Amino acid sequence: MDPIKDLQTFDDVLKYHGHTAETFADWCKGLRPHEIGMRKEELIVAAYNGRQVDDPLPDWDDRKAKRYPIFKMPSPSGAGFSFYDRDSWFAYSVVGSRQVFFGENAIAHLRDAVSKFLAEYKESRTL
């Protein structure tokens, strides 16, 4: 699978994981909006990383950079929620491990995911 070509909508992400909109809604019953957003984000990142959510996480001691997006949150200036930059992670974590892109295409996958799924990222960080 080539995530950049094959993942165009959240329905594509759900399909990759064997979900439908209905099964995802059932899985998220009773969760608060940001918790649903976190599940969406986990599914998105896992698909770009070529894994399922229950697969073992990557080797964090391999000294290879793990990448994650940074967002500009709403401010009094009205700037709104937007993708701001990216960062890498070698030994310390500032985000959950299931939010991290890894592998040789991590930066390209991160940028593509954020460009297509900014609304889902916003859900995971706001109410």
Side-chain angles (χ1 to χ4, degrees):
M1 178 189 79
D2 178 0
I4 291 176
K5 289 189 328 189
D6 297 337
L7 300 174
Q8 298 297 317
T9 67
F10 190 66
D11 284 341
D12 296 331
V13 173
L14 290 175
K15 183 178 176 181
Y16 174 84
H17 290 287
H19 272 293
T20 64
E22 295 77 23
T23 62
F24 181 74
D26 287 343
W27 185 39
C28 294
K29 275 192 177 144
L31 297 179
R32 295 177 292 171
H34 72 280
E35 294 170 322
I36 296 169
M38 286 302 299
R39 284 198 175 171
K40 288 180 178 182
E41 183 177 343
E42 182 179 355
L43 292 173
I44 291 164
V45 173
Y48 273 89
N49 285 336
R51 54 181 297 278
Q52 295 294 318
V53 293
D54 292 331
D55 288 350
L57 292 171
D59 176 6
W60 300 113
D61 293 328
D62 64 4
R63 303 295 300 157
K64 293 180 182 175
K66 314 304 186 266
R67 309 217 183 257
Y68 56 90
I70 300 171
F71 296 94
K72 181 185 276 186
M73 301 302 279
S75 68
S77 69
F81 183 87
S82 61
F83 175 58
Y84 182 68
D85 201 354
R86 55 122 184 118
D87 204 348
S88 61
W89 166 23
F90 284 95
Y92 303 102
S93 172
V94 295
V95 299
S97 58
R98 286 170 176 78
Q99 297 170 283
V100 176
F101 292 82
F102 60 89
E104 65 183 56
N105 296 317
I107 292 173
H109 287 172
L110 180 154
R111 289 181 175 151
D112 189 70
V114 170
S115 72
K116 293 174 184 171
F117 303 107
L118 187 62
E120 285 79 10
Y121 274 98
K122 183 176 181 180
E123 285 180 48
S124 70
R125 287 160 174 78
T126 59
L127 291 177

